[in-house]
Amino acid sequence: MTDFAQVDLRAFFVEQLRRAKVNFERALDCKHTDFDDLYPYMNEQPQFFWYKRYVAWSELLTVVRLAEELGIEWTEEFSDQQAEFIKGKVLQGKVLDQWNPEEEQEEETLSHMEE
């Protein structure tokens, strides 16, 4: 059992933020997450991927809320646009489409180079 009195709270929450971010990004990319292991029979259902995204988004918002309540800066782990999406709290289509705009620009550049 961990002695939480000895844990660096800021470092702990930074790690939790990073994990929640990676988990959300994996859910966006339809990659395997721990959630898949909880409901392996649901993988065949198309709505499962939407549900998985909402669960990952909820996890991310929860970790951010706790960090804010403890006065721990969380925005430095995200791009400005990602931080704005999180502050907006609603998982809209533009969050799904624009979470990683740098990757989209790289893909567009590569596709133009191939033409």
Side-chain angles (χ1 to χ4, degrees), residues 32-69:
H32 184 85
T33 66
D34 291 339
F35 193 73
D36 294 279
D37 296 334
L38 293 172
Y39 301 101
Y41 56 88
M42 290 291 293
N43 284 336
E44 303 299 321
Q45 304 297 322
Q47 69 272 23
F48 176 74
F49 294 102
W50 286 102
Y51 187 64
K52 183 167 119 170
R53 290 173 180 158
Y54 280 104
V55 169
W57 180 248
S58 180
E59 175 189 17
L60 181 59
L61 293 180
T62 299
V63 174
V64 165
R65 180 181 54 82
L66 291 171
E68 284 178 340
E69 288 177 6

mmCIF file of all heavy atoms in Angstrom, residues 32-69:
data_model
loop_
_atom_site.group_PDB
_atom_site.id
_atom_site.type_symbol
_atom_site.label_atom_id
_atom_site.label_comp_id
_atom_site.label_asym_id
_atom_site.label_seq_id
_atom_site.Cartn_x
_atom_site.Cartn_y
_atom_site.Cartn_z
ATOM 1 N N HIS A 32 -6.541 -0.243 -28.751
ATOM 2 C CA HIS A 32 -6.872 -0.976 -27.530
ATOM 3 C C HIS A 32 -6.640 -0.116 -26.292
ATOM 4 O O HIS A 32 -5.628 0.564 -26.175
ATOM 5 C CB HIS A 32 -6.023 -2.240 -27.438
ATOM 6 C CG HIS A 32 -6.379 -3.095 -26.264
ATOM 7 N ND1 HIS A 32 -7.399 -4.003 -26.316
ATOM 8 C CD2 HIS A 32 -5.874 -3.147 -25.011
ATOM 9 C CE1 HIS A 32 -7.499 -4.606 -25.139
ATOM 10 N NE2 HIS A 32 -6.576 -4.095 -24.327
ATOM 11 N N THR A 33 -7.604 -0.152 -25.363
ATOM 12 C CA THR A 33 -7.474 0.488 -24.058
ATOM 13 C C THR A 33 -7.912 -0.528 -22.996
ATOM 14 O O THR A 33 -8.432 -1.596 -23.324
ATOM 15 C CB THR A 33 -8.360 1.744 -23.942
ATOM 16 O OG1 THR A 33 -9.732 1.358 -23.994
ATOM 17 C CG2 THR A 33 -8.063 2.751 -25.049
ATOM 18 N N ASP A 34 -7.728 -0.180 -21.748
ATOM 19 C CA ASP A 34 -8.173 -1.057 -20.663
ATOM 20 C C ASP A 34 -9.679 -1.294 -20.731
ATOM 21 O O ASP A 34 -10.170 -2.329 -20.299
ATOM 22 C CB ASP A 34 -7.822 -0.460 -19.304
ATOM 23 C CG ASP A 34 -6.325 -0.467 -19.042
ATOM 24 O OD1 ASP A 34 -5.620 -1.267 -19.700
ATOM 25 O OD2 ASP A 34 -5.869 0.306 -18.183
ATOM 26 N N PHE A 35 -10.402 -0.336 -21.260
ATOM 27 C CA PHE A 35 -11.852 -0.451 -21.374
ATOM 28 C C PHE A 35 -12.243 -1.644 -22.250
ATOM 29 O O PHE A 35 -13.246 -2.303 -21.993
ATOM 30 C CB PHE A 35 -12.428 0.847 -21.937
ATOM 31 C CG PHE A 35 -13.917 0.950 -21.804
ATOM 32 C CD1 PHE A 35 -14.503 1.191 -20.574
ATOM 33 C CD2 PHE A 35 -14.727 0.802 -22.913
ATOM 34 C CE1 PHE A 35 -15.883 1.288 -20.453
ATOM 35 C CE2 PHE A 35 -16.100 0.895 -22.800
ATOM 36 C CZ PHE A 35 -16.678 1.141 -21.563
ATOM 37 N N ASP A 36 -11.438 -1.933 -23.261
ATOM 38 C CA ASP A 36 -11.704 -3.092 -24.128
ATOM 39 C C ASP A 36 -11.682 -4.389 -23.336
ATOM 40 O O ASP A 36 -12.445 -5.309 -23.624
ATOM 41 C CB ASP A 36 -10.670 -3.172 -25.248
ATOM 42 C CG ASP A 36 -10.775 -2.018 -26.204
ATOM 43 O OD1 ASP A 36 -11.645 -2.058 -27.085
ATOM 44 O OD2 ASP A 36 -9.985 -1.063 -26.059
ATOM 45 N N ASP A 37 -10.800 -4.452 -22.354
ATOM 46 C CA ASP A 37 -10.691 -5.661 -21.539
ATOM 47 C C ASP A 37 -11.899 -5.831 -20.625
ATOM 48 O O ASP A 37 -12.253 -6.956 -20.267
ATOM 49 C CB ASP A 37 -9.414 -5.628 -20.695
ATOM 50 C CG ASP A 37 -8.160 -5.637 -21.557
ATOM 51 O OD1 ASP A 37 -8.232 -6.150 -22.701
ATOM 52 O OD2 ASP A 37 -7.131 -5.123 -21.100
ATOM 53 N N LEU A 38 -12.518 -4.727 -20.242
ATOM 54 C CA LEU A 38 -13.696 -4.804 -19.372
ATOM 55 C C LEU A 38 -14.916 -5.345 -20.117
ATOM 56 O O LEU A 38 -15.766 -6.006 -19.530
ATOM 57 C CB LEU A 38 -14.028 -3.426 -18.802
ATOM 58 C CG LEU A 38 -13.024 -2.833 -17.835
ATOM 59 C CD1 LEU A 38 -13.402 -1.392 -17.505
ATOM 60 C CD2 LEU A 38 -12.935 -3.667 -16.578
ATOM 61 N N TYR A 39 -15.012 -5.014 -21.398
ATOM 62 C CA TYR A 39 -16.180 -5.403 -22.193
ATOM 63 C C TYR A 39 -15.755 -6.039 -23.515
ATOM 64 O O TYR A 39 -16.068 -5.516 -24.592
ATOM 65 C CB TYR A 39 -17.060 -4.177 -22.469
ATOM 66 C CG TYR A 39 -17.544 -3.511 -21.215
ATOM 67 C CD1 TYR A 39 -16.943 -2.357 -20.732
ATOM 68 C CD2 TYR A 39 -18.601 -4.054 -20.501
ATOM 69 C CE1 TYR A 39 -17.388 -1.760 -19.565
ATOM 70 C CE2 TYR A 39 -19.061 -3.459 -19.342
ATOM 71 C CZ TYR A 39 -18.436 -2.320 -18.878
ATOM 72 O OH TYR A 39 -18.884 -1.727 -17.720
ATOM 73 N N PRO A 40 -15.052 -7.158 -23.480
ATOM 74 C CA PRO A 40 -14.547 -7.751 -24.724
ATOM 75 C C PRO A 40 -15.655 -8.178 -25.685
ATOM 76 O O PRO A 40 -15.455 -8.165 -26.894
ATOM 77 C CB PRO A 40 -13.740 -8.953 -24.236
ATOM 78 C CG PRO A 40 -14.260 -9.251 -22.880
ATOM 79 C CD PRO A 40 -14.712 -7.949 -22.307
ATOM 80 N N TYR A 41 -16.817 -8.511 -25.164
ATOM 81 C CA TYR A 41 -17.929 -8.935 -26.017
ATOM 82 C C TYR A 41 -18.551 -7.766 -26.777
ATOM 83 O O TYR A 41 -19.320 -7.965 -27.705
ATOM 84 C CB TYR A 41 -19.002 -9.630 -25.167
ATOM 85 C CG TYR A 41 -19.503 -8.777 -24.027
ATOM 86 C CD1 TYR A 41 -20.566 -7.899 -24.193
ATOM 87 C CD2 TYR A 41 -18.892 -8.839 -22.771
ATOM 88 C CE1 TYR A 41 -21.010 -7.096 -23.158
ATOM 89 C CE2 TYR A 41 -19.343 -8.048 -21.732
ATOM 90 C CZ TYR A 41 -20.394 -7.183 -21.928
ATOM 91 O OH TYR A 41 -20.832 -6.388 -20.910
ATOM 92 N N MET A 42 -18.216 -6.543 -26.397
ATOM 93 C CA MET A 42 -18.807 -5.370 -27.042
ATOM 94 C C MET A 42 -18.009 -4.899 -28.261
ATOM 95 O O MET A 42 -18.487 -4.067 -29.013
ATOM 96 C CB MET A 42 -18.904 -4.215 -26.038
ATOM 97 C CG MET A 42 -19.931 -4.416 -24.956
ATOM 98 S SD MET A 42 -21.614 -4.354 -25.593
ATOM 99 C CE MET A 42 -21.719 -2.639 -26.081
ATOM 100 N N ASN A 43 -16.805 -5.413 -28.458
ATOM 101 C CA ASN A 43 -15.955 -4.947 -29.554
ATOM 102 C C ASN A 43 -16.619 -5.036 -30.921
ATOM 103 O O ASN A 43 -16.271 -4.301 -31.832
ATOM 104 C CB ASN A 43 -14.635 -5.727 -29.580
ATOM 105 C CG ASN A 43 -13.693 -5.261 -28.503
ATOM 106 O OD1 ASN A 43 -13.782 -4.137 -28.034
ATOM 107 N ND2 ASN A 43 -12.793 -6.133 -28.111
ATOM 108 N N GLU A 44 -17.562 -5.952 -31.065
ATOM 109 C CA GLU A 44 -18.219 -6.138 -32.352
ATOM 110 C C GLU A 44 -19.307 -5.092 -32.615
ATOM 111 O O GLU A 44 -19.786 -4.955 -33.736
ATOM 112 C CB GLU A 44 -18.837 -7.533 -32.426
ATOM 113 C CG GLU A 44 -17.833 -8.659 -32.213
ATOM 114 C CD GLU A 44 -16.740 -8.672 -33.268
ATOM 115 O OE1 GLU A 44 -17.052 -8.411 -34.450
ATOM 116 O OE2 GLU A 44 -15.580 -8.927 -32.915
ATOM 117 N N GLN A 45 -19.684 -4.354 -31.591
ATOM 118 C CA GLN A 45 -20.770 -3.377 -31.719
ATOM 119 C C GLN A 45 -20.214 -2.021 -32.156
ATOM 120 O O GLN A 45 -19.299 -1.494 -31.531
ATOM 121 C CB GLN A 45 -21.501 -3.217 -30.384
ATOM 122 C CG GLN A 45 -22.034 -4.498 -29.811
ATOM 123 C CD GLN A 45 -23.094 -5.119 -30.712
ATOM 124 O OE1 GLN A 45 -23.896 -4.420 -31.309
ATOM 125 N NE2 GLN A 45 -23.068 -6.436 -30.828
ATOM 126 N N PRO A 46 -20.751 -1.423 -33.225
ATOM 127 C CA PRO A 46 -20.233 -0.130 -33.708
ATOM 128 C C PRO A 46 -20.321 0.984 -32.660
ATOM 129 O O PRO A 46 -19.441 1.823 -32.584
ATOM 130 C CB PRO A 46 -21.120 0.199 -34.906
ATOM 131 C CG PRO A 46 -21.811 -1.058 -35.262
ATOM 132 C CD PRO A 46 -21.822 -1.941 -34.055
ATOM 133 N N GLN A 47 -21.353 0.980 -31.851
ATOM 134 C CA GLN A 47 -21.521 2.038 -30.857
ATOM 135 C C GLN A 47 -20.500 1.929 -29.723
ATOM 136 O O GLN A 47 -20.291 2.872 -28.970
ATOM 137 C CB GLN A 47 -22.942 2.081 -30.300
ATOM 138 C CG GLN A 47 -23.332 0.904 -29.436
ATOM 139 C CD GLN A 47 -23.913 -0.252 -30.217
ATOM 140 O OE1 GLN A 47 -23.681 -0.400 -31.409
ATOM 141 N NE2 GLN A 47 -24.675 -1.099 -29.552
ATOM 142 N N PHE A 48 -19.838 0.785 -29.605
ATOM 143 C CA PHE A 48 -18.844 0.588 -28.563
ATOM 144 C C PHE A 48 -17.738 1.631 -28.649
ATOM 145 O O PHE A 48 -17.280 2.154 -27.632
ATOM 146 C CB PHE A 48 -18.253 -0.820 -28.651
ATOM 147 C CG PHE A 48 -17.138 -1.071 -27.671
ATOM 148 C CD1 PHE A 48 -17.413 -1.252 -26.328
ATOM 149 C CD2 PHE A 48 -15.817 -1.126 -28.093
ATOM 150 C CE1 PHE A 48 -16.385 -1.491 -25.419
ATOM 151 C CE2 PHE A 48 -14.796 -1.371 -27.195
ATOM 152 C CZ PHE A 48 -15.086 -1.550 -25.853
ATOM 153 N N PHE A 49 -17.297 1.958 -29.859
ATOM 154 C CA PHE A 49 -16.198 2.899 -30.013
ATOM 155 C C PHE A 49 -16.589 4.300 -29.577
ATOM 156 O O PHE A 49 -15.789 5.033 -29.012
ATOM 157 C CB PHE A 49 -15.661 2.878 -31.445
ATOM 158 C CG PHE A 49 -15.029 1.557 -31.772
ATOM 159 C CD1 PHE A 49 -15.702 0.617 -32.532
ATOM 160 C CD2 PHE A 49 -13.776 1.238 -31.269
ATOM 161 C CE1 PHE A 49 -15.125 -0.610 -32.806
ATOM 162 C CE2 PHE A 49 -13.196 0.006 -31.538
ATOM 163 C CZ PHE A 49 -13.871 -0.915 -32.304
ATOM 164 N N TRP A 50 -17.836 4.688 -29.809
ATOM 165 C CA TRP A 50 -18.316 5.990 -29.318
ATOM 166 C C TRP A 50 -18.372 5.991 -27.802
ATOM 167 O O TRP A 50 -17.941 6.935 -27.148
ATOM 168 C CB TRP A 50 -19.695 6.307 -29.897
ATOM 169 C CG TRP A 50 -19.603 6.702 -31.328
ATOM 170 C CD1 TRP A 50 -19.892 5.944 -32.411
ATOM 171 C CD2 TRP A 50 -19.136 7.947 -31.832
ATOM 172 N NE1 TRP A 50 -19.648 6.646 -33.561
ATOM 173 C CE2 TRP A 50 -19.193 7.877 -33.231
ATOM 174 C CE3 TRP A 50 -18.690 9.118 -31.228
ATOM 175 C CZ2 TRP A 50 -18.806 8.949 -34.033
ATOM 176 C CZ3 TRP A 50 -18.306 10.171 -32.028
ATOM 177 C CH2 TRP A 50 -18.367 10.078 -33.416
ATOM 178 N N TYR A 51 -18.891 4.913 -27.243
ATOM 179 C CA TYR A 51 -18.988 4.816 -25.798
ATOM 180 C C TYR A 51 -17.595 4.845 -25.172
ATOM 181 O O TYR A 51 -17.353 5.526 -24.174
ATOM 182 C CB TYR A 51 -19.737 3.537 -25.410
ATOM 183 C CG TYR A 51 -20.035 3.442 -23.948
ATOM 184 C CD1 TYR A 51 -20.890 4.356 -23.330
ATOM 185 C CD2 TYR A 51 -19.456 2.448 -23.168
ATOM 186 C CE1 TYR A 51 -21.155 4.281 -21.974
ATOM 187 C CE2 TYR A 51 -19.716 2.369 -21.809
ATOM 188 C CZ TYR A 51 -20.565 3.280 -21.218
ATOM 189 O OH TYR A 51 -20.818 3.216 -19.892
ATOM 190 N N LYS A 52 -16.660 4.141 -25.765
ATOM 191 C CA LYS A 52 -15.284 4.086 -25.282
ATOM 192 C C LYS A 52 -14.663 5.491 -25.283
ATOM 193 O O LYS A 52 -13.962 5.869 -24.340
ATOM 194 C CB LYS A 52 -14.499 3.138 -26.177
ATOM 195 C CG LYS A 52 -13.074 2.910 -25.786
ATOM 196 C CD LYS A 52 -12.539 1.720 -26.559
ATOM 197 C CE LYS A 52 -11.394 2.074 -27.426
ATOM 198 N NZ LYS A 52 -10.728 0.915 -28.004
ATOM 199 N N ARG A 53 -14.946 6.262 -26.314
ATOM 200 C CA ARG A 53 -14.431 7.635 -26.385
ATOM 201 C C ARG A 53 -15.007 8.500 -25.273
ATOM 202 O O ARG A 53 -14.297 9.290 -24.657
ATOM 203 C CB ARG A 53 -14.740 8.249 -27.744
ATOM 204 C CG ARG A 53 -13.929 7.627 -28.852
ATOM 205 C CD ARG A 53 -14.367 8.118 -30.187
ATOM 206 N NE ARG A 53 -13.577 7.499 -31.234
ATOM 207 C CZ ARG A 53 -13.964 7.398 -32.489
ATOM 208 N NH1 ARG A 53 -15.127 7.873 -32.854
ATOM 209 N NH2 ARG A 53 -13.193 6.823 -33.367
ATOM 210 N N TYR A 54 -16.306 8.359 -25.044
ATOM 211 C CA TYR A 54 -16.932 9.151 -23.987
ATOM 212 C C TYR A 54 -16.408 8.761 -22.608
ATOM 213 O O TYR A 54 -16.226 9.615 -21.741
ATOM 214 C CB TYR A 54 -18.454 9.037 -24.032
ATOM 215 C CG TYR A 54 -19.060 9.936 -25.075
ATOM 216 C CD1 TYR A 54 -19.521 9.418 -26.276
ATOM 217 C CD2 TYR A 54 -19.138 11.308 -24.878
ATOM 218 C CE1 TYR A 54 -20.060 10.251 -27.247
ATOM 219 C CE2 TYR A 54 -19.670 12.149 -25.845
ATOM 220 C CZ TYR A 54 -20.122 11.613 -27.025
ATOM 221 O OH TYR A 54 -20.649 12.435 -27.984
ATOM 222 N N VAL A 55 -16.143 7.506 -22.385
ATOM 223 C CA VAL A 55 -15.583 7.060 -21.105
ATOM 224 C C VAL A 55 -14.180 7.632 -20.928
ATOM 225 O O VAL A 55 -13.831 8.141 -19.857
ATOM 226 C CB VAL A 55 -15.584 5.518 -21.013
ATOM 227 C CG1 VAL A 55 -14.765 5.036 -19.831
ATOM 228 C CG2 VAL A 55 -17.006 5.000 -20.917
ATOM 229 N N ALA A 56 -13.362 7.587 -21.966
ATOM 230 C CA ALA A 56 -12.001 8.131 -21.887
ATOM 231 C C ALA A 56 -12.032 9.646 -21.680
ATOM 232 O O ALA A 56 -11.236 10.199 -20.913
ATOM 233 C CB ALA A 56 -11.220 7.766 -23.146
ATOM 234 N N TRP A 57 -12.958 10.326 -22.348
ATOM 235 C CA TRP A 57 -13.114 11.778 -22.190
ATOM 236 C C TRP A 57 -13.530 12.105 -20.756
ATOM 237 O O TRP A 57 -12.997 13.028 -20.132
ATOM 238 C CB TRP A 57 -14.140 12.286 -23.185
ATOM 239 C CG TRP A 57 -14.420 13.756 -23.140
ATOM 240 C CD1 TRP A 57 -15.577 14.355 -22.747
ATOM 241 C CD2 TRP A 57 -13.546 14.817 -23.543
ATOM 242 N NE1 TRP A 57 -15.467 15.706 -22.876
ATOM 243 C CE2 TRP A 57 -14.230 16.024 -23.358
ATOM 244 C CE3 TRP A 57 -12.240 14.851 -24.023
ATOM 245 C CZ2 TRP A 57 -13.667 17.267 -23.641
ATOM 246 C CZ3 TRP A 57 -11.677 16.093 -24.313
ATOM 247 C CH2 TRP A 57 -12.386 17.277 -24.120
ATOM 248 N N SER A 58 -14.449 11.328 -20.224
ATOM 249 C CA SER A 58 -14.897 11.530 -18.850
ATOM 250 C C SER A 58 -13.747 11.332 -17.864
ATOM 251 O O SER A 58 -13.597 12.092 -16.895
ATOM 252 C CB SER A 58 -16.044 10.573 -18.543
ATOM 253 O OG SER A 58 -16.492 10.743 -17.230
ATOM 254 N N GLU A 59 -12.932 10.319 -18.100
ATOM 255 C CA GLU A 59 -11.764 10.081 -17.248
ATOM 256 C C GLU A 59 -10.824 11.279 -17.284
ATOM 257 O O GLU A 59 -10.351 11.748 -16.244
ATOM 258 C CB GLU A 59 -11.024 8.824 -17.698
ATOM 259 C CG GLU A 59 -9.739 8.574 -16.943
ATOM 260 C CD GLU A 59 -8.895 7.455 -17.540
ATOM 261 O OE1 GLU A 59 -9.108 7.068 -18.697
ATOM 262 O OE2 GLU A 59 -7.994 6.990 -16.818
ATOM 263 N N LEU A 60 -10.566 11.801 -18.479
ATOM 264 C CA LEU A 60 -9.683 12.952 -18.633
ATOM 265 C C LEU A 60 -10.243 14.164 -17.889
ATOM 266 O O LEU A 60 -9.520 14.840 -17.154
ATOM 267 C CB LEU A 60 -9.501 13.260 -20.124
ATOM 268 C CG LEU A 60 -8.589 14.415 -20.489
ATOM 269 C CD1 LEU A 60 -7.178 14.202 -19.956
ATOM 270 C CD2 LEU A 60 -8.561 14.599 -21.994
ATOM 271 N N LEU A 61 -11.526 14.425 -18.045
ATOM 272 C CA LEU A 61 -12.150 15.560 -17.352
ATOM 273 C C LEU A 61 -12.100 15.394 -15.840
ATOM 274 O O LEU A 61 -11.911 16.371 -15.102
ATOM 275 C CB LEU A 61 -13.599 15.744 -17.808
ATOM 276 C CG LEU A 61 -13.823 16.186 -19.252
ATOM 277 C CD1 LEU A 61 -15.309 16.325 -19.530
ATOM 278 C CD2 LEU A 61 -13.094 17.486 -19.554
ATOM 279 N N THR A 62 -12.250 14.179 -15.366
ATOM 280 C CA THR A 62 -12.206 13.927 -13.920
ATOM 281 C C THR A 62 -10.818 14.210 -13.359
ATOM 282 O O THR A 62 -10.682 14.865 -12.317
ATOM 283 C CB THR A 62 -12.621 12.473 -13.621
ATOM 284 O OG1 THR A 62 -13.960 12.277 -14.083
ATOM 285 C CG2 THR A 62 -12.544 12.175 -12.138
ATOM 286 N N VAL A 63 -9.781 13.747 -14.033
ATOM 287 C CA VAL A 63 -8.418 13.993 -13.564
ATOM 288 C C VAL A 63 -8.110 15.491 -13.595
ATOM 289 O O VAL A 63 -7.514 16.036 -12.655
ATOM 290 C CB VAL A 63 -7.386 13.186 -14.387
ATOM 291 C CG1 VAL A 63 -5.966 13.551 -13.993
ATOM 292 C CG2 VAL A 63 -7.618 11.695 -14.216
ATOM 293 N N VAL A 64 -8.558 16.176 -14.639
ATOM 294 C CA VAL A 64 -8.352 17.627 -14.731
ATOM 295 C C VAL A 64 -9.081 18.338 -13.591
ATOM 296 O O VAL A 64 -8.529 19.230 -12.944
ATOM 297 C CB VAL A 64 -8.804 18.163 -16.106
ATOM 298 C CG1 VAL A 64 -8.940 19.678 -16.094
ATOM 299 C CG2 VAL A 64 -7.828 17.726 -17.186
ATOM 300 N N ARG A 65 -10.321 17.950 -13.324
ATOM 301 C CA ARG A 65 -11.095 18.578 -12.244
ATOM 302 C C ARG A 65 -10.385 18.409 -10.905
ATOM 303 O O ARG A 65 -10.264 19.364 -10.127
ATOM 304 C CB ARG A 65 -12.505 18.001 -12.175
ATOM 305 C CG ARG A 65 -13.361 18.628 -11.061
ATOM 306 C CD ARG A 65 -14.749 18.013 -10.995
ATOM 307 N NE ARG A 65 -14.753 16.568 -10.868
ATOM 308 C CZ ARG A 65 -14.591 15.904 -9.721
ATOM 309 N NH1 ARG A 65 -14.409 16.548 -8.594
ATOM 310 N NH2 ARG A 65 -14.624 14.585 -9.707
ATOM 311 N N LEU A 66 -9.908 17.205 -10.626
ATOM 312 C CA LEU A 66 -9.204 16.964 -9.370
ATOM 313 C C LEU A 66 -7.914 17.781 -9.289
ATOM 314 O O LEU A 66 -7.588 18.329 -8.231
ATOM 315 C CB LEU A 66 -8.904 15.474 -9.209
ATOM 316 C CG LEU A 66 -10.126 14.588 -8.970
ATOM 317 C CD1 LEU A 66 -9.736 13.119 -9.039
ATOM 318 C CD2 LEU A 66 -10.786 14.912 -7.639
ATOM 319 N N ALA A 67 -7.187 17.869 -10.384
ATOM 320 C CA ALA A 67 -5.965 18.677 -10.406
ATOM 321 C C ALA A 67 -6.303 20.144 -10.119
ATOM 322 O O ALA A 67 -5.614 20.797 -9.320
ATOM 323 C CB ALA A 67 -5.261 18.533 -11.755
ATOM 324 N N GLU A 68 -7.362 20.652 -10.743
ATOM 325 C CA GLU A 68 -7.768 22.035 -10.502
ATOM 326 C C GLU A 68 -8.142 22.261 -9.039
ATOM 327 O O GLU A 68 -7.758 23.265 -8.447
ATOM 328 C CB GLU A 68 -8.955 22.416 -11.394
ATOM 329 C CG GLU A 68 -8.580 22.663 -12.829
ATOM 330 C CD GLU A 68 -9.778 22.996 -13.708
ATOM 331 O OE1 GLU A 68 -10.931 22.686 -13.326
ATOM 332 O OE2 GLU A 68 -9.550 23.567 -14.787
ATOM 333 N N GLU A 69 -8.891 21.326 -8.470
ATOM 334 C CA GLU A 69 -9.312 21.463 -7.077
ATOM 335 C C GLU A 69 -8.119 21.457 -6.125
ATOM 336 O O GLU A 69 -8.173 22.069 -5.052
ATOM 337 C CB GLU A 69 -10.291 20.349 -6.702
ATOM 338 C CG GLU A 69 -11.651 20.526 -7.342
ATOM 339 C CD GLU A 69 -12.618 19.395 -7.034
ATOM 340 O OE1 GLU A 69 -12.289 18.511 -6.222
ATOM 341 O OE2 GLU A 69 -13.730 19.408 -7.613
#
